Amino acid sequence: MALVLFQNDAAVAWGNEGHTYINRVAAEKIPADMPRFLGEAAEEITYLGPEPDRWRSPSEFALKNAQEPDHFIDLERVSWLDPLPQSRYEFLRKLYEKRAATTDHPDDYLPERVGLQPFITMEVYGRLKAAFREYRQRMAAHQPTGSTEQAIIFYAGWLGHYVGDGSQPLHTTIHYNGWVGPNPNGYTTDHHIHGQFESDYVRANITAKDFAAQIKAPERLNDPFADYIAYLKNSNSLVEPVYQLEKAGGFTGKGTPEAFEFTTHRLAAASQMLLNFWYTAWLESAVPVTEHPASAAPAKTAAAAK
Ligand SMILES: [Zn+2]
């Protein structure tokens, strides 16, 4: 397990290039019916693609430790929890209950080993939507919006990282970096496939223009959480193809046409989902909210009361 955790630490989902491409391609497809400043911020949004991977240095221990589970979720470990709760704290509680009731490898249910991917994604999406709402209010009140625009750009770019991680099949699985458990097809168990696929292969063989044409006009998501979970499950369904491609030499050197097709489609899926998230946040930010609904006040906890 120490080795597995080390590998988790070492791998940085899609690598610098993949995350940069995902954000850039999405930013360049921002439609004209969204605020113009966002489309003009493609350079900043692109820069922010790899931003959470800059939070992994041991020199910022608290940050590194707290945010590492944000990059993945081992869906096989939560197959008993369907649907997933939308509340991060309910999810944590369920995992600890499961751990307490488990005798075989109970620590497999520790939140930091299962991963918290969909929760951070929805939380950053929420920040973006709230910032868009603030932008609309300031526009309506003829107030300056420059600072709000900066916040929106940051949230939009930051969100891109997690949506990008979510399209990488190996970020949704216990087979994170080498096949584990029964292995009738003889897939690699070496701890190299993760970085080889998402970083080395992408850096050497793919550019943003290889998949930009796949991106369509954004669609408003009906249910962002449910739609995002479906997106993660789709990625999880593609774990075995990654191992099949690796076995066929698809990610070695110049790779194979099949590996190129597969990888560009995964990158495109991320840009499309990111663009859909931005578009949905913008549209939903127009829905009026009650400022301080007394009836919806959360139950007081020790932490909340402070
Ligand atoms: Zn990541």
Side-chain angles (χ1 to χ4, degrees), residues 141-155:
H142 303 288
Q143 293 170 340
T145 57
S147 299
T148 316
E149 291 173 19
Q150 292 301 313
I152 288 167
I153 291 163
F154 180 77
Y155 296 141

Side-chain angles (χ1 to χ4, degrees), residues 131-145 148-149 282 285-286:
F132 271 140
R133 193 163 55 235
E134 181 73 17
Y135 173 81
R136 288 179 184 274
Q137 288 167 356
R138 285 171 182 252
M139 288 288 281
H142 303 288
Q143 293 170 340
T145 57
T148 316
E149 291 173 19
W282 168 244
S285 71

Side-chain angles (χ1 to χ4, degrees), residues 204-257:
N205 295 288
I206 294 176
T207 65
K209 68 173 169 46
D210 290 326
F211 66 94
Q214 293 183 38
I215 311 306
K216 301 187 289 285
E219 285 178 22
R220 183 175 189 160
L221 302 170
N222 287 323
D223 181 339
F225 182 77
D227 292 342
Y228 191 66
I229 297 299
Y231 166 84
L232 292 176
K233 286 183 174 176
N234 180 55
S235 292
N236 183 259
S237 76
L238 298 171
V239 169
E240 196 166 349
V242 176
Y243 280 82
Q244 289 166 343
L245 288 165
E246 189 278 341
K247 195 176 173 184
F251 305 126
T252 304
K254 294 206 177 306
T256 60

Side-chain angles (χ1 to χ4, degrees), residues 260-290:
F260 182 84
E261 173 86 1
F262 179 87
T263 308
T264 48
H265 276 82
R266 285 290 81 215
L267 292 164
S271 291
Q272 186 71 61
M273 186 51 137
L274 178 58
L275 185 60
N276 291 350
F277 260 130
W278 290 341
Y279 188 62
T280 306
W282 168 244
L283 295 179
E284 291 201 355
S285 71
V287 178
V289 292
T290 311

Side-chain angles (χ1 to χ4, degrees), residues 12-13 19 52-53 56 71 161-162 165 171:
V12 290
H19 279 298
D53 286 335
R56 292 174 177 271
H71 298 253
H161 183 87
Y162 302 120
D165 281 350
H171 275 247

